[in-house]
Amino acid sequence: MGTQDPGNMGTGVPASEQISCAKEDPQVYCPEETGGTKDVQVTDCKSPEDNRPQKEKGCCNPEDSGQLMASYEGKAMGYQVPPFGWRICLAHEFTEKRKPFQANNVSLRNMIKHIGMGLRYLQWWYRKTQVEKKTPFIDMINSVPLRQIYGCPLGGIGGGTITRGWRGQFCRWQLNPGMYQHRTVIADQFTVCLRREGQTVYQQVLSLERPSVLRSWNWGLCGYFAFYHALYPRAWTVYQLPGQNVTLTCRQITPILPHDYQDSSLPVGVFVWDVENEGDEALDVSIMFSMRNGLGGGDDAPGGLWNEPFCLEHGGETVQGLLLHHPTLPNPYTMAVAARVTADTTVTHITAFDPDSTGQQVWQDLLQDGQLDSPAGQSTPTQKGVGIAGAVCVSSKLEPRGQCRLEFSLAWDMPRILFGAKGQVHYRRYTRFFGQDGDAAPALSHYALCRYTEWEERISAWQSPVLDDRSLPAWYKSALFNELYFLADGGTVWLEVREDSLPEELGRNMCHLCPTLRDYGRFGYLEGQEYRMYNTYDVHFYASFALIMLWPKLELSLQYDMALATLREDLTRRRYLMSGVMAPVKRRNVIPHDIGDPDDEPWLRLNAYLIHDTADWKDLNLKFVLQVYRDYYLTGDQNFLKDMWPVCLAVMESEMKFDKDHDGLIENGGYADQTYDGWVTTGPSAYCGGLWLAAVAVMVQMAALCGAQDIQDKFSSILHRGQEAYERLLWNGRYYNYDSSSQPQSRSVMSDQCAGQWFLKACGLGEGETEVRETRRRSQREKLGFP
C-alpha cells in the first residue's frame, strides 16, 4: 500500500534570488533544494564534532545512515529527543534527483506491446478530466512532482491530515477526504522573538525559505544549526540559536493511540516548545504561530473567509486562540490555532493580516514588545480573491540557565463531508464525541492541550518494549513506527454509520455486522496518495497486520464492509483498459478490488480500478479467507467467525472454477490475473498456488470450528490433492517455479510465493497437514537470501 511521497508545489522564489548559506554565517539564507528520493530511515546519528567531508574516501553517501546529520554544526541535541528514529539536519541536501514515472517514460518496446491499453487510457483520461471534470484515480499525464520534504503528519485517524515537512513547512493537506493538495503555505510558520532588558535582540522565522511574500519578515534560518527527528506519531525539531545561548525543541504530538477508538480519531496536533536558556542573563521568549485561512488556492478564491479570537475555560484550564472560518462548499471547516494559558505565560493574537503582503505590520507588532496587539472582535469576511491569515503568540520569562514551556495546538473541524460525487452526507468519527454542528474547534483545542501529556505516556508505554529490545536493529525500530503514518495519512476516513444505511437484505445473516459498524464506524484508506482507491484488498492483505494488532475493531469493521461488498453485484458493463473487454463492474460472491474512489461515492460504487476485470483474479478471494481466519485467531471473536463463514464458503465456491483439471490446485489464466497486474502468469503458479493451499488449509480449520464435518472433509481432500500437484508441477529440485509456462520467467524465483505459508504461520498453523511443504520452503527462503 506504500507510495512515493509526492512533492511540494514550490515557493515562488526566483533562482536568481537564492543565496548559498555559509556555515560560518548562521544568518544567511539557505535555499531549499531537496531532491526526490524515497524515505530513508536513519538511526545512528553522526556526532556534530565529526565534520569529515562527505566526499572523503571511505565515507558513505549522504543518503546513508548518519550522513543525513553530517551537515549539522550545532552542539545541542535537544530536550528529551529519543535515540531512535529518523534524523536529518535541516541543511541537508539530497544528491539523488528523481522524477515521477509518467506516460513518456514507457519504453518503446512496452509502448508497442501495450498500444491498445495506452489508447484506451488516453480516451478514458480525457473523458474523466475534460468531460466529467474529475481527477483520475491514477493520472499518468499530470503526476505530482517528487520531492523529499515530508515529515510526520498531524491529525488522528480519519479526520484529515496536515503534513509538516522536516524543514518546518506545512506542505501537504488532506482535509477533503482522500484528496491531497501539495502546497507549501508560506504564512504557516513559527517565529521566535528573544528580548533582553526590554529590547528585542533576536527575531527569526524558523524557516529556511526566502519567499516573495511577507518580505518584511526575517527569513533564511541557517539549517546547519537545526535538525529534525521523527518517531511517529511524534516528531522533534531542535534549533540552536547561534550567538544567543538558547536552544528550542519543538515536539509535535498526534493522538495515534493503539486500542483507542476515541482520541485516535481527533483532527488535532500539539506543538510543545521547550526553551532552554544556557546563558547567564534572563530573557523574555516569545513563539508566534501564524496560519493562513485556507491554502491560498482556488478554494479560497470565492472569498467569505473570516477569523475571530476565542477563549475557552473549562476544568480550571484556559485555552486562547483564533478560529479561522473557511465556509467554502462542499466541505466547510473551521481551523483553530490555540495556546494554553498558564501562570507563567501570556497569550496574545492578531486576528487578521494579509498573507500576500510584505507582513510589516505583524513583524513590527511582535518586534516592539514580543507580543501581539490582540484586537477584539471578528474580522471582516474577505472579498473575492483576497487572502487572510492570523497569528497566536505565547510569551514567557526565562531565567538564567532556566527552561520554560510554551504549548500550542492546531485543530480543524470538518464534521460533515461529501465525497466527490456530492451524493451522500457522511459524518466523521470524532463527531460522536464533539458534535456535528461545526463548532467543535475550541473544544478540540482545549481537549488536546489538556490531554497531550496522557497521550505521550500511552505512546511511550506502547513503543518502549520495542525501543528497549536490544535484539532488534535500530533501523527496524525506526521503520516500524514511522511507516505507520499511512494509517492516518493514507487519505484515511473514519465515518459514523447509520443503521438505516446498511442493506438489510445482504446483512441479515451477519448478526454482528450492525453492532460492529454502529459502535466502531467505517474505516477506509487509500492504496496510495496518488493511486486513489479505498481499501484495495490485495494490498490490504499485507498492511492489515497494523490494524488487527493495534486497532482490531477497525479491521473487523473493514472485513464486515468487504463481506457486504462481496455479496453485492453491479452488472453495469464497462471497458477494461488492459484487455479492452466489456465486462460487469462487480460480480456477486467475489471479493471486490476496492471500495471505490474518494472523488466518486465509495462504498456505494465499488471497484474504481478498471485496468483488469478483477473478478477473474486468482488471489483476492483467497486473501479474504486467510484474513478472516487470521483476524479470528488474533481476536478470538467467535461471533465474527460465524458471520464470515458463509461468505468464505461463497468466495471459495467462486474460486473452485479456476481448478480446471480438478487436481486440487488452481491455474492462472495466461495474463496478469493477480495483484502483480503487469506480470503474466500461466497455469499453476507458486504465488497463487501457495495462497490457494493456505486458504484451503484454513477452510479445514474453520469448518471444524463451525461444526461442518462434511465441508471439513471436502476441503481436507482438496488440500491433500493440491499439495501433491503443487510439488509435482512446480518444484524443480531447488525451488518452486514462478509458474508452469514455457516462458523464461517461469524459472524465476518470486519471494511472495511464501505469502501463503507466512499467513499460516501468523495463524498458528503451517505445520503438519496444514504446511505448504515447510522443508522445501526453507530451501526456497535460502534461495531468496532469507534466514
Side-chain angles (χ1 to χ4, degrees):
M1 60 177 281
T3 181
Q4 295 288 350
D5 278 344
N8 173 288
M9 300 304 292
T11 62
V13 184
S16 60
E17 295 183 19
Q18 297 181 351
I19 309 169
S20 296
C21 178
K23 294 186 181 182
E24 64 272 11
D25 183 359
Q27 298 304 313
V28 179
Y29 167 65
C30 301
E32 178 181 12
E33 284 290 343
T34 55
T37 62
K38 64 182 180 180
D39 287 339
V40 180
Q41 298 299 334
V42 174
T43 49
D44 301 321
C45 297
K46 202 174 184 67
S47 166
E49 286 81 12
D50 186 354
N51 294 319
R52 186 172 50 174
Q54 293 185 6
K55 294 186 180 295
E56 179 180 335
K57 185 177 180 180
C59 181
C60 56
N61 293 327
E63 285 76 4
D64 292 340
S65 176
Q67 286 299 314
L68 297 181
M69 282 291 287
S71 299
Y72 185 58
E73 294 292 308
K75 304 298 182 183
M77 300 312 292
Y79 180 75
Q80 295 184 348
V81 181
F84 298 106
W86 185 82
R87 186 174 295 189
I88 184 169
C89 175
L90 267 59
H92 182 76
E93 302 289 345
F94 288 98
T95 57
E96 184 180 8
K97 310 296 180 183
R98 289 190 178 182
K99 295 181 180 179
F101 186 87
Q102 301 187 81
N104 58 3
N105 298 120
V106 179
S107 68
L108 180 61
R109 178 171 174 269
N110 274 312
M111 196 174 293
I112 295 171
K113 181 178 179 182
H114 297 294
I115 190 168
M117 178 190 175
L119 292 173
R120 287 186 288 271
Y121 175 82
L122 289 174
Q123 184 181 32
W124 170 80
W125 181 91
Y126 180 85
R127 184 176 67 252
K128 181 68 68 173
T129 59
Q130 305 303 312
V131 179
E132 300 177 17
K133 304 299 181 183
K134 293 287 187 180
T135 306
F137 79 89
I138 177 172
D139 194 338
M140 295 289 290
I141 309 299
N142 299 308
S143 300
V144 177
L146 296 177
R147 299 185 69 192
Q148 191 169 348
I149 64 174
Y150 301 105
C152 286
L154 293 158
I157 298 173
T161 47
I162 300 172
T163 298
R164 188 166 181 246
W166 53 266
R167 280 182 166 166
Q169 66 275 55
F170 290 81
C171 54
R172 185 172 63 205
W173 309 75
Q174 189 256 140
L175 299 179
N176 287 312
M179 307 301 290
Y180 279 84
Q181 292 177 279
H182 302 90
R183 182 187 299 270
T184 292
V185 182
I186 291 300
D188 299 354
Q189 301 291 345
F190 287 101
T191 298
V192 62
C193 175
L194 302 181
R195 293 171 58 82
R196 291 186 175 91
E197 298 180 352
Q199 298 292 322
T200 297
V201 296
Y202 183 89
Q203 188 162 298
Q204 174 72 52
V205 185
L206 297 172
S207 169
L208 279 67
E209 304 275 5
R210 185 178 291 268
S212 58
V213 296
L214 302 176
R215 297 186 70 91
S216 293
W217 295 17
N218 186 27
W219 298 90
L221 175 78
C222 190
Y224 290 102
F225 293 86
F227 69 87
Y228 175 86
H229 183 97
L231 187 65
Y232 188 72
R234 295 187 290 176
W236 293 255
T237 309
V238 177
Y239 305 89
Q240 181 177 323
L241 305 182
Q244 304 303 318
N245 291 322
V246 170
T247 298
L248 311 175
T249 302
C250 176
R251 187 166 76 258
Q252 174 184 311
I253 306 148
T254 290
I256 299 295
L257 310 167
H259 305 283
D260 178 286
Y261 299 90
Q262 176 174 325
D263 290 8
S264 291
S265 72
L266 301 184
V268 298
V270 175
F271 298 96
V272 179
W273 289 82
D274 288 296
V275 186
E276 299 171 276
N277 182 5
E278 296 154 2
D280 296 323
E281 297 180 81
L283 57 86
D284 297 325
V285 60
S286 301
I287 300 287
M288 180 178 75
F289 186 8
S290 55
M291 178 70 63
R292 182 174 188 135
N293 188 336
L295 311 188
D299 289 345
D300 304 351
L305 315 182
W306 56 285
N307 302 343
E308 64 173 329
F310 77 92
C311 179
L312 179 59
E313 183 177 356
H314 179 73
E317 296 284 354
T318 301
V319 168
Q320 289 179 217
L322 285 180
L323 299 177
L324 283 57
H325 299 286
H326 196 281
T328 305
L329 298 176
N331 296 320
Y333 65 91
T334 295
M335 191 85 68
V337 180
R340 188 179 190 178
V341 180
T342 70
D344 299 321
T345 61
T346 301
V347 179
T348 56
H349 71 270
I350 182 166
T351 307
F353 68 90
D354 183 355
D356 300 313
S357 68
T358 64
Q360 183 173 8
Q361 179 185 354
V362 182
W363 192 258
Q364 291 299 321
D365 188 2
L366 183 64
L367 191 69
Q368 183 177 1
D369 58 4
Q371 299 184 12
L372 300 175
D373 284 345
S374 298
Q378 67 186 49
S379 68
T380 302
T382 60
Q383 298 298 310
K384 185 176 181 179
V386 177
I388 183 175
V392 174
C393 178
V394 185
S395 307
S396 182
K397 294 188 179 298
L398 193 53
E399 298 299 322
R401 305 288 172 178
Q403 180 180 333
C404 69
R405 175 168 290 182
L406 313 176
E407 301 155 299
F408 292 88
S409 68
L410 181 63
W412 51 100
D413 183 23
M414 183 190 282
R416 174 185 182 276
I417 59 171
L418 293 171
F419 288 106
K422 300 181 177 64
Q424 299 181 1
V425 174
H426 304 271
Y427 290 93
R428 297 192 190 266
R429 169 71 175 183
Y430 76 88
T431 61
R432 172 177 293 218
F433 316 108
F434 286 86
Q436 301 178 349
D437 297 331
D439 58 1
L444 285 166
S445 303
H446 191 282
Y447 189 86
L449 285 166
C450 293
R451 291 295 185 96
Y452 80 83
T453 53
E454 176 191 330
W455 295 343
E456 289 199 277
E457 290 172 359
R458 293 165 66 182
I459 292 169
S460 294
W462 159 42
Q463 294 183 338
S464 291
V466 173
L467 300 179
D468 294 342
D469 187 343
R470 295 191 175 188
S471 68
L472 300 175
W475 66 264
Y476 177 80
K477 297 175 183 180
S478 173
L480 190 65
F481 294 112
N482 280 325
E483 293 305 312
L484 283 175
Y485 83 95
F486 201 80
L487 283 181
D489 197 25
T492 312
V493 289
W494 188 356
L495 306 173
E496 291 288 271
V497 178
R498 303 190 322 272
E499 286 197 39
D500 60 6
S501 68
L502 298 173
E504 183 179 349
E505 70 280 3
L506 294 181
R508 66 167 59 99
N509 294 323
M510 290 183 271
C511 299
H512 292 81
L513 179 148
C514 286
T516 299
L517 292 178
R518 181 190 64 229
D519 293 344
Y520 296 102
R522 171 169 278 161
F523 174 85
Y525 60 166
L526 301 176
E527 177 164 349
Q529 293 168 356
E530 295 180 76
Y531 203 25
R532 292 189 336 271
M533 297 165 286
Y534 275 127
N535 296 347
T536 304
Y537 203 72
D538 53 327
V539 290
H540 175 69
F541 176 75
Y542 307 96
S544 61
F545 280 91
L547 269 189
I548 191 60
M549 295 176 73
L550 300 178
W551 291 275
K553 298 298 185 182
L554 290 184
E555 167 66 10
L556 299 188
S557 169
L558 187 154
Q559 292 282 64
Y560 273 110
D561 264 334
M562 196 58 63
L564 274 179
T566 299
L567 301 177
R568 287 174 50 194
E569 65 178 0
D570 180 352
L571 299 180
T572 305
R573 297 179 70 80
R574 63 181 179 181
R575 190 173 305 279
Y576 287 90
L577 299 181
M578 183 66 77
S579 65
V581 169
M582 297 288 292
V585 172
K586 168 69 174 66
R587 300 178 203 171
R588 183 176 283 118
N589 292 343
V590 294
I591 300 298
H593 175 272
D594 59 84
I595 293 296
D597 180 353
D599 204 27
D600 186 25
E601 193 62 63
W603 285 279
L604 179 63
R605 284 188 282 277
L606 309 174
N607 281 344
Y609 179 89
L610 45 63
I611 298 174
H612 294 278
D613 177 8
T614 60
D616 286 332
W617 276 17
K618 307 306 184 288
D619 54 350
L620 282 172
N621 295 329
L622 308 176
K623 289 179 173 181
F624 177 77
V625 172
L626 288 168
Q627 286 182 84
V628 164
Y629 187 77
R630 187 275 316 273
D631 295 345
Y632 160 74
Y633 175 75
L634 292 179
T635 64
D637 191 331
Q638 294 187 354
N639 293 321
F640 168 76
L641 180 64
K642 290 177 181 177
D643 283 349
M644 293 296 112
W645 173 239
V647 186
C648 289
L649 283 173
V651 300
M652 287 300 282
E653 189 64 32
S654 296
E655 192 78 10
M656 293 285 191
K657 67 178 179 288
F658 300 130
D659 181 10
K660 299 186 182 301
D661 56 5
H662 307 290
D663 64 350
L665 189 64
I666 61 171
E667 292 90 37
N668 289 89
Y671 62 99
D673 54 354
Q674 28 69 40
T675 187
Y676 298 94
D677 54 2
W679 294 3
V680 173
T681 314
T682 302
S685 68
Y687 166 62
C688 290
L691 287 174
W692 163 258
L693 293 178
V696 171
V698 300
M699 287 296 290
V700 173
Q701 301 299 312
M702 287 192 285
L705 290 166
C706 293
Q709 185 64 51
D710 55 338
I711 297 175
Q712 182 180 357
D713 293 343
K714 172 185 174 181
F715 280 100
S716 292
S717 173
I718 293 172
L719 179 61
H720 293 143
R721 289 185 287 116
Q723 287 172 328
E724 188 278 329
Y726 192 83
E727 294 293 311
R728 173 169 45 83
L729 297 170
L730 293 170
W731 182 251
N732 64 21
R734 297 174 58 213
Y735 57 87
Y736 292 97
N737 288 336
Y738 169 74
D739 68 3
S740 302
S741 72
S742 58
Q743 298 300 313
Q745 70 266 19
S746 174
R747 300 282 290 185
S748 9
V749 181
M750 181 181 181
S751 62
D752 207 19
Q753 63 184 260
C754 297
Q757 181 71 18
W758 164 55
F759 242 77
L760 289 177
K761 289 287 190 180
C763 297
L765 303 174
E767 296 181 358
E769 292 188 355
T770 63
E771 69 179 343
V772 186
R773 292 297 185 267
E774 175 60 16
T775 302
R776 291 184 174 178
R777 285 290 174 192
R778 189 174 301 114
S779 171
Q780 178 76 12
R781 290 198 301 270
E782 291 170 357
K783 177 70 176 177
L784 293 167
F786 298 156

